[in-house]
Amino acid sequence: MPVLLCVAAGLALSTLPFALWWSRLGSWIYIADDDNLYYLQLAAQAYYNHAWYISDPAYARAFPSAFPAVEFVPAVIAAGVAGLGPFSINMIWHLWAGIAAALGTYFIFWRGLKTRWAAAFCAILLLSDSDHRWAEPVARQLITFVQVFRGSDAFRNNLEFDQFRVVHPGLLFPLVLIQVGLLSMGRERPSWLRILLSGAVFGAVFYDSFYFWTAIALGLAIAFVLDRGHRSVYMHTAWIGGLIGLPSIVQGISLRRLAVGLPRTSLFLHVPRTCCLILPKAAILLLLISGLWIWFRRRSDLLYIWSLALAGMLLTNHQVVSGLELHNTHWTYFWGPLLSITVIVLAASELLPHVRWTPLSRAVSVGVLCAYFALGMYLRAVAVADSHPTTLMQQHYVRYQAQRLNGSARPLAPNSMIAGDESFCDLAVVGDNQHPLSGYAVLQSPTTSDAEWKTRVALNGYLKGASRSEFLGQVTDFTGSYTWGPWSMGEVPMSALIDDLMHQYDVVVQDPSQFIDRYNVRFVALPATQATPTYLESGWTLIQSGPSWRIWEKEGHVDAG
């Protein structure tokens, strides 16, 4: 019964956005933001073309993706078996995130508190929390509610609900919790079976998340030093997991040679060692207090999870040693919830022996938990309704659904290159099995060089009908909000990026057909209200006119290769 309540709470929180969108769309579809849509684009490549692996959506050829297939393939297969469309993959992800987060959180609290109802209470409390990353359970939630009540815009930074963010960490973090629980069982009653299970799950994490396996590896090393009486458990877990995960490391190293575009998005980007330090004062204080608490209370059973939190916090600032930027904030998805769990277990362990469980105290406990869960549901709804990226995504999807998913639209030739309005093209990657000439997927593409990316952006600007001055305005707007790559770090002036893009535009307009053929552009989609660019008057055929976009197909198009 307690664990089922946790699962129900997790499912309610994870799927609430779909219910809110259903009221307008009439279907169980939800897309949170550009990242969420990009993950759907990756999944769509497997859905349409090759179910057992994923590839870069920027290319018709199956270039490898840096993302682990295990995050995508099971949901793709499930959608195919169930006869669902590719947009429904997001629902499958969220269902899994809700169930897995509930089970993993309950399991880890049960291991720490040894009582089922207390574990369920704490699990639902943490599942309802709107921001896990900074280890401020309850406090940040209440502050956020006050900000929402007062109409302050500051609350928007505190409504992440990271435990349900897909694909990372929502699909992956529960595996970390399972590994922690299994190791605690092996530590409590050592046996080769328990240690083998702990190591096997650690090994599985290698195939899921670079951020998580590196943090677990460092956490095992820290726990090995601190927990002298159980060093064999950590040592055997480490080598078993490392052996299982070794092929993943080898594969990652081999793919790294192809990933020439990663620095553009601040991955493997060389930065000053003191740059971008993340030092959250409240979390550091909690880490120190909880460490002392564990020491004085002799709660050595919590040393491992505390060591993991410390490891994740240290890796968040690894650039001090490595000199590299790796989207370091992704480690906050690791240490934030683990530190919160540590603090909650310690606090509950102190409180529970002093509670007299009368009918009144039970009623009060249930009332408090229900109120906090309701607050979490309310803030989750606010996060969906008041998020600009989510609202904009819904507007785009509503128009795309009306035009392309109405059952009467002419199908676009699959695996074709499409250019034009990014709001259409990005959705067409998922809904029509297309490949975008430009946009977020190309920006993120690890195999696209900076030179090719700039050329594709410039060509797309031309195909959208932008004059030189209009393209300059688009580039200026883009660079004004661009926070990745050497340009944002000051290594290269942002003006240099603008100059490069404008130079590529000038090159493209001199002979656009050369670049159209190079990238094998077959379709162009433009807003229905836009005047038709002159280049479309010859050699292009209008195949769909509205209601939101007009779509042209290149005459005499020949598929590449």
Side-chain angles (χ1 to χ4, degrees), residues 490-555:
E491 181 182 340
V492 180
M494 193 66 77
S495 60
L497 176 57
I498 295 175
D499 291 342
D500 288 347
L501 289 167
M502 295 309 300
H503 172 71
Q504 286 303 123
Y505 178 86
D506 293 335
V507 172
V508 165
V509 297
Q510 290 177 11
D511 186 7
S513 60
Q514 170 192 345
F515 294 96
I516 291 171
D517 291 341
R518 176 190 296 181
Y519 293 110
N520 204 33
V521 178
R522 181 163 186 167
F523 298 105
V524 171
L526 300 176
T529 56
Q530 178 182 331
T532 304
T534 56
Y535 78 87
L536 288 171
E537 295 174 359
S538 175
W540 295 81
T541 301
L542 182 65
I543 61 172
Q544 188 176 24
S545 181
S548 297
W549 294 276
R550 289 185 294 167
I551 305 173
W552 285 264
E553 183 175 12
K554 192 174 186 297
E555 295 175 0

Side-chain angles (χ1 to χ4, degrees), residues 421-435:
D421 184 10
E422 288 88 348
S423 62
F424 177 89
C425 296
D426 287 346
L427 289 166
V429 175
V430 183
D432 283 293
N433 191 16
Q434 299 296 292
H435 300 277

Side-chain angles (χ1 to χ4, degrees), residues 38 75 97 169 205 216 242 273 349 353 383 403 411 425 491:
Y38 177 54
V205 174
I216 291 176
R273 296 182 187 277
S349 298
Q403 180 162 337
C425 296
E491 181 182 340

Side-chain angles (χ1 to χ4, degrees), residues 44 54 70 107 121 152 160 186 266 270 315 334 345 355 387 515:
I54 58 171
V70 71
F107 179 49
F121 182 98
S152 170
E160 301 294 334
S266 295
H270 291 278
L315 287 171
F334 182 88
V345 168
V355 175
S387 166
F515 294 96

Side-chain angles (χ1 to χ4, degrees), residues 384-457:
V384 174
D386 283 16
S387 166
H388 176 68
T390 304
T391 302
L392 193 62
M393 196 66 70
Q394 186 185 66
Q395 293 170 0
H396 293 161
Y397 183 82
V398 167
R399 294 189 294 145
Y400 180 84
Q401 181 186 52
Q403 180 162 337
R404 297 298 305 164
L405 305 179
N406 56 18
S408 61
R410 169 183 167 179
L412 302 182
N415 276 314
S416 299
M417 185 69 75
I418 188 166
D421 184 10
E422 288 88 348
S423 62
F424 177 89
C425 296
D426 287 346
L427 289 166
V429 175
V430 183
D432 283 293
N433 191 16
Q434 299 296 292
H435 300 277
L437 175 65
S438 185
Y440 195 66
V442 181
L443 175 67
Q444 291 273 9
S445 171
T447 50
T448 301
S449 67
D450 285 351
E452 181 181 343
W453 168 63
K454 293 169 186 175
T455 301
R456 290 172 72 147
V457 170

Side-chain angles (χ1 to χ4, degrees), residues 216-264:
I216 291 176
L218 181 56
L220 285 168
I222 294 172
F224 179 85
V225 173
L226 297 179
D227 195 7
R228 289 183 291 180
H230 299 85
R231 285 179 171 172
S232 62
V233 176
Y234 304 113
M235 181 184 67
H236 292 309
T237 295
W239 75 257
I240 292 171
L243 191 62
I244 294 173
L246 184 59
S248 175
I249 297 175
V250 173
Q251 182 186 32
I253 294 172
S254 64
L255 290 177
R256 175 70 183 90
R257 296 182 292 104
L258 304 174
V260 294
L262 291 179
R264 183 174 58 249

Side-chain angles (χ1 to χ4, degrees), residues 83-398:
L84 302 174
F87 284 107
S88 298
I89 292 171
N90 204 29
M91 181 61 157
I92 296 172
W93 280 336
H94 279 79
L95 287 171
W96 168 251
I99 295 170
L103 293 176
T105 307
Y106 173 82
F107 179 49
I108 204 70
F109 277 120
W110 174 70
R111 289 298 308 160
L113 298 174
K114 308 300 184 186
T115 58
R116 293 184 300 158
W117 284 107
F121 182 98
C122 294
I124 294 173
L125 189 80
L126 196 61
L127 288 169
S128 305
D129 222 48
S130 61
D131 193 345
H132 278 191
R133 298 179 71 177
W134 307 108
E136 297 174 11
V138 181
R140 184 176 284 250
Q141 179 100 321
L142 297 178
I143 292 171
T144 300
F145 173 69
V146 172
Q147 291 171 338
V148 172
F149 183 76
R150 291 180 175 177
S152 170
D153 288 339
F155 75 85
R156 289 185 172 85
N157 296 325
N158 301 330
L159 291 177
E160 301 294 334
F161 283 92
D162 306 306
Q163 58 272 38
F164 307 118
R165 181 182 184 269
V166 297
V167 295
H168 188 278
L171 303 184
L172 310 173
F173 188 72
L175 198 60
V176 173
L177 297 178
I178 291 171
Q179 195 278 328
V180 174
L182 288 173
L183 188 138
S184 74
M185 293 172 67
R187 182 187 177 282
E188 183 180 276
R189 294 175 57 191
S191 71
W192 271 111
L193 176 60
R194 295 182 177 193
I195 293 173
L196 182 63
L197 288 173
S198 172
V201 175
F202 174 38
V205 174
F206 280 80
Y207 297 87
D208 291 341
S209 170
F210 167 80
Y211 300 98
F212 291 170
W213 80 252
T214 51
I216 291 176
L218 181 56
L220 285 168
I222 294 172
F224 179 85
V225 173
L226 297 179
D227 195 7
R228 289 183 291 180
H230 299 85
R231 285 179 171 172
S232 62
V233 176
Y234 304 113
M235 181 184 67
H236 292 309
T237 295
W239 75 257
I240 292 171
L243 191 62
I244 294 173
L246 184 59
S248 175
I249 297 175
V250 173
Q251 182 186 32
I253 294 172
S254 64
L255 290 177
R256 175 70 183 90
R257 296 182 292 104
L258 304 174
V260 294
L262 291 179
R264 183 174 58 249
T265 56
S266 295
L267 282 167
F268 292 96
L269 177 68
H270 291 278
V271 296
R273 296 182 187 277
T274 56
C275 171
C276 311
L277 291 173
I278 300 174
L279 301 170
K281 296 178 182 177
I284 293 172
L285 182 61
L286 274 180
L287 186 71
L288 293 173
I289 292 174
S290 59
L292 292 173
W293 203 341
I294 289 170
W295 182 269
F296 286 115
R297 286 296 192 183
R298 302 185 183 279
R299 286 297 305 266
S300 58
D301 58 305
L302 297 177
L303 272 176
Y304 178 54
I305 190 171
W306 184 88
S307 298
L308 291 176
L310 173 60
M313 194 174 290
L314 290 173
L315 287 171
T316 305
N317 295 295
H318 71 89
Q319 75 276 10
V320 174
V321 177
S322 68
L324 294 173
E325 167 66 24
L326 293 170
H327 287 188
N328 299 350
T329 55
H330 278 61
W331 274 289
T332 63
Y333 293 132
F334 182 88
W335 65 256
L338 289 178
L339 181 55
S340 295
I341 290 169
T342 304
V343 172
I344 292 173
V345 168
L346 287 169
S349 298
E350 295 291 330
L351 179 64
L352 285 174
H354 304 289
V355 175
R356 292 183 59 195
W357 291 111
T358 64
L360 178 61
S361 62
R362 288 189 176 91
V364 169
S365 299
V366 171
V368 168
L369 185 61
C370 289
Y372 197 80
F373 172 73
L375 177 58
M377 291 285 284
Y378 169 71
L379 292 178
R380 179 77 159 143
V382 169
V384 174
D386 283 16
S387 166
H388 176 68
T390 304
T391 302
L392 193 62
M393 196 66 70
Q394 186 185 66
Q395 293 170 0
H396 293 161
Y397 183 82
V398 167

